[in-house]
Amino acid sequence: MKKVTINSVASYAGVSKKTVSRVLNNEPNVSDATREKVLKVFKELDYTPNPIARGLAQNRSFIIGCIYDNPSKSYITRVQTGALAACQENNYNLLIHPCDLRGDALISNIEHLLQSSRLDGLVLTPPFSDFKVLVDFLKSKKIPYARVASAVLEDDSISVRSNDEQGAFEITEHLIKLGHKAIAFIKGHPDHSATEQRFKGYRRALSTHGIEFNERLVEEGNFSYHSGVDSARSILDLTPRPTAVFASNDYMAAAVLKLATQRQFKVPDDISIAGFDNAPIARHIWPGLTTIAQPVEEMTKQAVTKLIEHIGDPQEQPYQVTLEARLITRESTAQVR
Amino acid sequence: MKKVTINSVASYAGVSKKTVSRVLNNEPNVSDATREKVLKVFKELDYTPNPIARGLAQNRSFIIGCIYDNPSKSYITRVQTGALAACQENNYNLLIHPCDLRGDALISNIEHLLQSSRLDGLVLTPPFSDFKVLVDFLKSKKIPYARVASAVLEDDSISVRSNDEQGAFEITEHLIKLGHKAIAFIKGHPDHSATEQRFKGYRRALSTHGIEFNERLVEEGNFSYHSGVDSARSILDLTPRPTAVFASNDYMAAAVLKLATQRQFKVPDDISIAGFDNAPIARHIWPGLTTIAQPVEEMTKQAVTKLIEHIGDPQEQPYQVTLEARLITRESTAQVR
DNA sequence: CCGCATTATGACACCGGTGTCAGGGTTGGA
DNA sequence: TCCAACCCTGACACCGGTGTCATAATGCGG
């Protein structure tokens, strides 16, 4: 198998390599006849341009980096799926880069990543999407970036999110409509902006329906299963016991369910449990969790698509979109008795 | 921020760029004085070589591809973690590439991937690790590859696995020692070599302990939660009902647990359930699943490390290692009553 | 049919490194 | 003391594309 380069194509087609390059890039000012001739040779020789050489000449890598520090493997996988879809459509590659938000080396870590991999752009996923230090750093370095599931919208960037506040409102309202009044809430990780958003939605639903907010019903979690266990313990020990628990994500909700089951409570008869995210576990356990589904793949795909457009044409407008979240009711919530 | 290239380093240090290149690559035949001088300039100018230019000159991309078609997100994440660790240590990048094993376009899909991304090597994860068509293709194209968790060892390749057969043996034996004699078995996806291995271990444990193999206790699954539900239904309908179920992975085991719970069976009092893989769900449900833990990250890391070594030096020896799996007992298995 | 604007094409340098090879300086053995 | 062998070093071509610019070919109005 001989290597097929632009030179072989050029000589085979009887044109200069610059002309071949023009055809490759769909540039104007190539006669139809020449274009067709070259395209035919592409097929005949089964030519694929070398992205590395291209990258060198254009000072690009055709690689997008995806930064994350997220305990939920299913979330990460969904993010990757969406990002990959966008990359494949645009002949880009995706580089994944897990890292510590809290590590003091974060910025230098990212700086090194950018230097050594020459990424064309970065996708920030929670909790980085709203991490000001990082965003400011990227801005100052003029590194193109897109944010997924950020809470704060800015005017001059690419950001695709879903409505966490509204989702939390709806699921809380769902519980209220089932007759629940004492609804415990488990917060997420403080570094994630979703934590605050979901809490807001919970409170808004309460006040909309004239239920007084009770601080004692709120527990601090961090999105991990383990933190859910701790919070669940406190909540189940309360007197009077709340009739429902809304955990900020499904892992913590699963923890509540596990502890409740261990203590011989019937879910949802004795206590209703709701989660958030529609993680796989929500339907893998019994009873299945009532939860909120977000279009994670779609968010990420849009963000990456726009990011790639922006890299190709930096004049591109900012892009700010909010997609809808959806309530999914399963067996873990029921009418209060 | 001006760009720092090899040229600027060279002129700043007062040497030729070839000498700088020598220092970069730790080549011999550079005087200590010169080497130190150049290294100092590296620091002063904060120079990072451009991997793209390097790649062009050496016809390498410094990118490893990771191929998978696996329903378990946690497994994929673990694979990625291990692969990334190896890549980072060696200044390589990881490109992830999910694809369909069964798609008839698989080979051309991979071929296109290789052509267009110029990967230096490929990591095959289950079910690709034992997919002969693909392995033969890579061999014929002389693409370096490493296999993770393959069942079959070959003499001339890199392969790191864990002992599925032994793991299945141990967990079955664990059930037998608890007094179980009627142990149902749910098979995995037929495309995965682990499926056969785990089945073998199950049968070996039975025969070792003088329990007759009963075909009616074996259900065909495919590693998915959903297939677990179907299998569970058949198993729970059997008369007499088996006292234990060993599912080939944790998702299917979780499905058995869910269905059993729905039907008001007590686990483990009425029926013991065991899984395989130690997926997160195994400890997120109640009762926690007895299962087998495999060192997935470690396997992948070793495989990728060896793969990169092999790319750097194709004379490198083959590498075939089997790591141990470990029994983890939780609450889902108990003495038969 | 001429002059000018426009289109089509190629020559050549360049992106930032590495491979090859030649030449000058040292070292060491005869 | 002389020459071979070896160590350092740099000039230069090259990897496979793209950008710039000059030039040839074509179109078109007058």
Side-chain angles (χ1 to χ4, degrees):
Chain A
M1 182 177 91
K2 232 181 63 245
K3 257 190 308 189
V4 181
T5 73
I6 198 171
N7 289 299
S8 35
V9 173
S11 66
Y12 194 91
V15 297
S16 75
K17 61 185 210 170
K18 179 64 215 187
T19 298
V20 176
S21 167
R22 287 196 179 91
V23 175
L24 259 183
N25 295 284
N26 274 315
E27 283 174 33
N29 299 343
V30 179
S31 73
D32 288 351
T34 308
R35 190 179 299 276
E36 303 239 321
K37 186 171 56 181
V38 173
L39 286 173
K40 222 176 85 193
V41 176
F42 282 176
K43 281 219 180 93
E44 250 169 82
L45 267 49
D46 191 22
Y47 168 69
T48 317
N50 184 330
I52 300 184
R54 230 201 247 237
L56 179 60
Q58 298 189 136
N59 195 26
R60 324 167 49 173
S61 61
F62 297 95
I63 297 180
I64 299 283
C66 178
I67 310 255
Y68 57 85
D69 173 12
N70 203 303
S72 165
K73 294 164 205 256
S74 62
Y75 192 88
I76 294 172
T77 311
R78 295 183 69 188
V79 162
Q80 289 177 357
T81 304
L84 279 170
C87 284
Q88 279 170 8
E89 278 178 15
N90 295 281
N91 284 312
Y92 259 73
N93 286 145
L94 184 71
L95 190 68
I96 55 181
H97 189 84
C99 52
D100 272 347
L101 177 76
R102 280 290 164 219
D104 37 285
L106 174 71
I107 294 295
S108 68
N109 178 340
I110 302 288
E111 194 163 11
H112 179 257
L113 172 72
L114 292 168
Q115 285 253 335
S116 65
S117 299
R118 313 278 157 146
L119 303 178
D120 288 349
L122 233 39
V123 198
L124 307 185
T125 67
F128 293 107
S129 317
D130 283 306
F131 193 53
K132 195 159 181 331
V133 178
L134 179 58
V135 172
D136 286 347
F137 169 76
L138 295 177
K139 230 182 250 173
S140 74
K141 289 272 184 178
K142 302 210 188 312
I143 310 287
Y145 64 93
R147 299 180 301 145
V148 175
S150 58
V152 184
L153 293 181
E154 292 172 15
D155 282 342
D156 58 347
S157 75
I158 297 167
S159 178
V160 185
R161 55 193 293 272
S162 76
N163 203 331
D164 281 80
E165 198 272 349
Q166 177 65 19
F169 175 86
E170 284 176 20
I171 203 163
T172 309
E173 188 171 59
H174 162 76
L175 289 168
I176 294 171
K177 287 186 173 163
L178 288 172
H180 296 279
K181 289 190 162 36
I183 304 172
F185 182 81
I186 306 179
K187 283 185 158 185
H189 195 293
D191 283 344
H192 287 242
S193 59
T195 293
E196 190 57 26
Q197 297 298 308
R198 293 175 192 179
F199 186 47
K200 272 191 189 161
Y202 163 74
R203 295 198 58 166
R204 180 160 67 88
L206 293 184
S207 81
T208 299
H209 292 274
I211 297 175
E212 199 176 344
F213 170 67
N214 180 350
E215 205 172 324
R216 291 183 56 241
L217 295 179
V218 176
E219 282 293 321
E220 307 280 336
N222 65 14
F223 284 142
S224 74
Y225 181 82
H226 188 81
S227 75
V229 173
D230 293 341
S231 301
R233 215 172 335 250
S234 309
I235 290 168
L236 295 180
D237 283 343
L238 287 173
T239 13
R241 195 159 26 88
T243 61
V245 182
F246 168 24
S248 289
N249 77 352
D250 290 335
Y251 290 101
M252 297 192 297
V256 177
L257 175 60
K258 173 167 176 168
L259 204 72
T261 309
Q262 278 179 317
R263 296 202 181 176
Q264 317 283 342
F265 295 133
K266 288 249 178 210
V267 177
D269 299 341
D270 299 331
I271 189 167
S272 283
I273 299 175
F276 206 108
D277 282 347
N278 196 25
I281 196 173
R283 59 177 195 286
H284 287 354
I285 56 185
W286 178 257
L289 290 172
T290 291
T291 190
I292 297 286
Q294 301 178 86
V296 177
E297 292 90 344
E298 180 60 24
M299 281 196 284
T300 315
K301 184 175 174 187
Q302 286 194 20
V304 173
T305 303
K306 283 294 166 184
L307 176 60
I308 293 174
E309 272 179 29
H310 173 81
I311 291 165
D313 172 15
Q315 313 311 326
E316 202 47 43
Q317 297 299 309
Y319 183 79
Q320 315 256 338
V321 172
T322 300
L323 304 178
E324 285 313 310
R326 197 173 91 254
L327 175 67
I328 295 186
T329 54
R330 294 204 178 87
E331 304 86 12
S332 67
T333 52
Q335 199 78 31
V336 73
R337 295 200 304 187
Chain B
M1 181 177 91
K2 230 180 65 246
K3 256 190 309 187
V4 181
T5 72
I6 198 171
N7 289 299
S8 36
V9 172
S11 66
Y12 194 93
V15 298
S16 75
K17 60 186 211 171
K18 179 62 215 188
T19 298
V20 176
S21 167
R22 287 196 180 94
V23 175
L24 260 182
N25 295 284
N26 275 314
E27 283 175 32
N29 298 343
V30 179
S31 73
D32 288 350
T34 308
R35 190 180 298 273
E36 302 238 322
K37 187 169 58 181
V38 174
L39 285 173
K40 221 175 89 192
V41 176
F42 281 177
K43 282 221 179 92
E44 252 170 79
L45 267 47
D46 193 22
Y47 168 69
T48 318
N50 185 329
I52 301 184
R54 232 202 249 234
L56 179 59
Q58 300 189 135
N59 195 26
R60 328 168 43 174
S61 61
F62 296 96
I63 297 179
I64 298 285
C66 177
I67 311 255
Y68 57 86
D69 173 13
N70 202 303
S72 165
K73 295 165 206 256
S74 62
Y75 191 87
I76 294 172
T77 310
R78 296 183 67 188
V79 162
Q80 289 177 357
T81 303
L84 279 170
C87 284
Q88 279 170 8
E89 278 178 15
N90 295 281
N91 285 310
Y92 258 72
N93 286 148
L94 184 72
L95 190 69
I96 54 181
H97 189 85
C99 53
D100 273 346
L101 176 76
R102 280 289 162 220
D104 37 287
L106 174 71
I107 293 295
S108 67
N109 177 343
I110 301 288
E111 193 162 13
H112 179 257
L113 172 73
L114 291 169
Q115 285 253 334
S116 66
S117 299
R118 312 276 158 151
L119 303 178
D120 289 348
L122 234 40
V123 198
L124 307 185
T125 68
F128 292 108
S129 316
D130 283 305
F131 193 52
K132 194 158 180 335
V133 178
L134 178 58
V135 171
D136 287 348
F137 170 75
L138 295 177
K139 229 182 252 174
S140 74
K141 289 272 184 180
K142 302 208 189 312
I143 311 285
Y145 64 93
R147 301 180 301 146
V148 175
S150 58
V152 184
L153 294 181
E154 291 173 14
D155 280 340
D156 57 349
S157 75
I158 298 168
S159 179
V160 184
R161 56 194 293 272
S162 77
N163 203 331
D164 281 80
E165 197 271 350
Q166 177 65 18
F169 175 86
E170 285 176 20
I171 204 163
T172 309
E173 187 170 58
H174 162 77
L175 290 168
I176 294 171
K177 287 186 172 164
L178 288 171
H180 296 279
K181 290 189 161 32
I183 303 171
F185 182 81
I186 306 179
K187 283 185 159 186
H189 194 293
D191 283 344
H192 287 241
S193 59
T195 293
E196 190 58 26
Q197 296 298 308
R198 294 175 191 179
F199 186 48
K200 271 191 192 162
Y202 163 75
R203 295 197 58 167
R204 180 160 66 90
L206 293 184
S207 80
T208 298
H209 292 275
I211 298 175
E212 199 176 343
F213 170 68
N214 179 352
E215 205 172 325
R216 292 182 54 241
L217 295 179
V218 176
E219 282 293 321
E220 307 279 335
N222 65 15
F223 284 142
S224 75
Y225 181 82
H226 188 82
S227 76
V229 174
D230 293 341
S231 302
R233 216 174 332 255
S234 311
I235 290 170
L236 296 179
D237 283 344
L238 287 173
T239 11
R241 193 159 28 88
T243 60
V245 183
F246 169 25
S248 289
N249 77 353
D250 290 334
Y251 291 101
M252 297 192 296
V256 177
L257 175 60
K258 174 166 176 169
L259 204 73
T261 310
Q262 277 179 319
R263 297 204 179 172
Q264 317 282 345
F265 294 132
K266 289 249 180 211
V267 177
D269 299 341
D270 298 333
I271 188 166
S272 283
I273 299 176
F276 206 108
D277 281 347
N278 195 26
I281 197 173
R283 59 176 194 285
H284 288 353
I285 55 184
W286 179 255
L289 290 173
T290 291
T291 189
I292 295 287
Q294 300 178 88
V296 177
E297 291 90 345
E298 180 59 24
M299 280 195 287
T300 316
K301 185 176 172 188
Q302 287 194 19
V304 174
T305 302
K306 283 294 165 184
L307 175 60
I308 293 174
E309 272 178 31
H310 174 81
I311 291 165
D313 172 15
Q315 312 313 327
E316 202 48 43
Q317 296 300 310
Y319 184 79
Q320 316 256 341
V321 172
T322 300
L323 305 177
E324 285 312 310
R326 197 174 90 252
L327 174 67
I328 295 186
T329 53
R330 296 203 179 87
E331 304 85 13
S332 67
T333 51
Q335 198 77 32
V336 73
R337 294 199 306 184

